[in-house]
mmCIF file of all heavy atoms in Angstrom:
data_model
loop_
_atom_site.group_PDB
_atom_site.id
_atom_site.type_symbol
_atom_site.label_atom_id
_atom_site.label_comp_id
_atom_site.label_asym_id
_atom_site.label_seq_id
_atom_site.Cartn_x
_atom_site.Cartn_y
_atom_site.Cartn_z
ATOM 1 N N PRO B 1708 214.737 79.272 46.928
ATOM 2 C CA PRO B 1708 214.078 78.004 47.274
ATOM 3 C C PRO B 1708 213.746 77.163 46.038
ATOM 4 O O PRO B 1708 213.891 75.941 46.065
ATOM 5 C CB PRO B 1708 212.799 78.454 47.988
ATOM 6 C CG PRO B 1708 213.112 79.816 48.513
ATOM 7 C CD PRO B 1708 214.030 80.438 47.497
ATOM 8 N N ALA B 1709 213.326 77.830 44.954
ATOM 9 C CA ALA B 1709 213.003 77.067 43.737
ATOM 10 C C ALA B 1709 214.244 76.345 43.226
ATOM 11 O O ALA B 1709 214.188 75.171 42.846
ATOM 12 C CB ALA B 1709 212.449 78.006 42.662
ATOM 13 N N LEU B 1710 215.376 77.040 43.238
ATOM 14 C CA LEU B 1710 216.625 76.406 42.788
ATOM 15 C C LEU B 1710 216.981 75.218 43.670
ATOM 16 O O LEU B 1710 217.445 74.180 43.184
ATOM 17 C CB LEU B 1710 217.773 77.426 42.834
ATOM 18 C CG LEU B 1710 217.931 78.291 41.600
ATOM 19 C CD1 LEU B 1710 218.899 79.442 41.877
ATOM 20 C CD2 LEU B 1710 218.462 77.435 40.454
ATOM 21 N N GLN B 1711 216.802 75.362 44.968
ATOM 22 C CA GLN B 1711 217.126 74.251 45.873
ATOM 23 C C GLN B 1711 216.209 73.071 45.605
ATOM 24 O O GLN B 1711 216.641 71.920 45.590
ATOM 25 C CB GLN B 1711 217.002 74.696 47.340
ATOM 26 C CG GLN B 1711 217.931 75.839 47.722
ATOM 27 C CD GLN B 1711 219.353 75.623 47.253
ATOM 28 O OE1 GLN B 1711 219.915 74.549 47.402
ATOM 29 N NE2 GLN B 1711 219.932 76.645 46.642
ATOM 30 N N ARG B 1712 214.930 73.374 45.387
ATOM 31 C CA ARG B 1712 213.966 72.299 45.131
ATOM 32 C C ARG B 1712 214.302 71.575 43.836
ATOM 33 O O ARG B 1712 214.269 70.343 43.778
ATOM 34 C CB ARG B 1712 212.560 72.900 45.074
ATOM 35 C CG ARG B 1712 211.449 71.895 44.835
ATOM 36 C CD ARG B 1712 211.219 71.003 46.027
ATOM 37 N NE ARG B 1712 210.121 70.058 45.782
ATOM 38 C CZ ARG B 1712 210.129 68.797 46.220
ATOM 39 N NH1 ARG B 1712 211.156 68.344 46.917
ATOM 40 N NH2 ARG B 1712 209.125 68.012 45.974
ATOM 41 N N LEU B 1713 214.614 72.325 42.788
ATOM 42 C CA LEU B 1713 214.979 71.697 41.513
ATOM 43 C C LEU B 1713 216.224 70.826 41.678
ATOM 44 O O LEU B 1713 216.433 69.875 40.937
ATOM 45 C CB LEU B 1713 215.246 72.761 40.444
ATOM 46 C CG LEU B 1713 214.009 73.495 39.906
ATOM 47 C CD1 LEU B 1713 214.423 74.679 39.057
ATOM 48 C CD2 LEU B 1713 213.134 72.537 39.092
ATOM 49 N N GLN B 1714 217.052 71.153 42.671
ATOM 50 C CA GLN B 1714 218.261 70.370 42.933
ATOM 51 C C GLN B 1714 218.019 69.288 43.989
ATOM 52 O O GLN B 1714 218.972 68.767 44.566
ATOM 53 C CB GLN B 1714 219.399 71.288 43.386
ATOM 54 C CG GLN B 1714 219.912 72.195 42.282
ATOM 55 C CD GLN B 1714 220.898 73.217 42.813
ATOM 56 O OE1 GLN B 1714 222.087 72.955 42.933
ATOM 57 N NE2 GLN B 1714 220.410 74.394 43.138
ATOM 58 N N GLY B 1715 216.760 68.975 44.233
ATOM 59 C CA GLY B 1715 216.494 67.794 45.049
ATOM 60 C C GLY B 1715 216.205 68.047 46.513
ATOM 61 O O GLY B 1715 215.935 67.114 47.259
ATOM 62 N N ALA B 1716 216.267 69.305 46.949
ATOM 63 C CA ALA B 1716 215.948 69.577 48.349
ATOM 64 C C ALA B 1716 214.481 69.271 48.616
ATOM 65 O O ALA B 1716 213.635 69.455 47.743
ATOM 66 C CB ALA B 1716 216.238 71.039 48.677
ATOM 67 N N THR B 1717 214.181 68.801 49.817
ATOM 68 C CA THR B 1717 212.783 68.687 50.200
ATOM 69 C C THR B 1717 212.244 70.113 50.355
ATOM 70 O O THR B 1717 213.023 71.059 50.506
ATOM 71 C CB THR B 1717 212.639 67.966 51.547
ATOM 72 O OG1 THR B 1717 213.272 68.756 52.556
ATOM 73 C CG2 THR B 1717 213.293 66.582 51.510
ATOM 74 N N PRO B 1718 210.923 70.277 50.326
ATOM 75 C CA PRO B 1718 210.393 71.633 50.524
ATOM 76 C C PRO B 1718 210.940 72.278 51.810
ATOM 77 O O PRO B 1718 211.243 73.467 51.834
ATOM 78 C CB PRO B 1718 208.881 71.409 50.579
ATOM 79 C CG PRO B 1718 208.659 70.208 49.715
ATOM 80 C CD PRO B 1718 209.851 69.317 49.967
ATOM 81 N N GLU B 1719 211.101 71.486 52.864
ATOM 82 C CA GLU B 1719 211.628 72.038 54.119
ATOM 83 C C GLU B 1719 213.088 72.476 53.945
ATOM 84 O O GLU B 1719 213.484 73.548 54.390
ATOM 85 C CB GLU B 1719 211.542 71.005 55.247
ATOM 86 C CG GLU B 1719 210.120 70.627 55.654
ATOM 87 C CD GLU B 1719 209.364 69.865 54.570
ATOM 88 O OE1 GLU B 1719 209.991 69.051 53.858
ATOM 89 O OE2 GLU B 1719 208.151 70.100 54.415
ATOM 90 N N GLN B 1720 213.887 71.627 53.311
ATOM 91 C CA GLN B 1720 215.301 71.976 53.098
ATOM 92 C C GLN B 1720 215.438 73.178 52.172
ATOM 93 O O GLN B 1720 216.407 73.929 52.257
ATOM 94 C CB GLN B 1720 216.043 70.788 52.452
ATOM 95 C CG GLN B 1720 216.255 69.587 53.358
ATOM 96 C CD GLN B 1720 216.719 68.360 52.567
ATOM 97 O OE1 GLN B 1720 216.482 68.243 51.372
ATOM 98 N NE2 GLN B 1720 217.367 67.433 53.257
ATOM 99 N N ALA B 1721 214.469 73.327 51.269
ATOM 100 C CA ALA B 1721 214.586 74.371 50.247
ATOM 101 C C ALA B 1721 214.280 75.762 50.782
ATOM 102 O O ALA B 1721 214.740 76.758 50.231
ATOM 103 C CB ALA B 1721 213.650 74.051 49.081
ATOM 104 N N MET B 1722 213.526 75.828 51.860
ATOM 105 C CA MET B 1722 213.084 77.128 52.368
ATOM 106 C C MET B 1722 214.255 77.953 52.900
ATOM 107 O O MET B 1722 215.237 77.404 53.387
ATOM 108 C CB MET B 1722 212.051 76.922 53.477
ATOM 109 C CG MET B 1722 210.680 76.594 52.930
ATOM 110 S SD MET B 1722 210.042 77.998 51.956
ATOM 111 C CE MET B 1722 208.761 77.170 51.022
ATOM 112 N N PRO B 1723 214.148 79.281 52.839
ATOM 113 C CA PRO B 1723 215.220 80.124 53.365
ATOM 114 C C PRO B 1723 215.497 79.795 54.828
ATOM 115 O O PRO B 1723 214.582 79.442 55.582
ATOM 116 C CB PRO B 1723 214.660 81.542 53.235
ATOM 117 C CG PRO B 1723 213.630 81.457 52.161
ATOM 118 C CD PRO B 1723 213.054 80.084 52.259
#
Side-chain angles (χ1 to χ4, degrees):
Chain B
L1710 274 168
Q1711 300 313 314
R1712 181 70 179 143
L1713 288 170
Q1714 291 172 86
T1717 63
E1719 294 67 36
Q1720 290 168 336
M1722 281 296 162

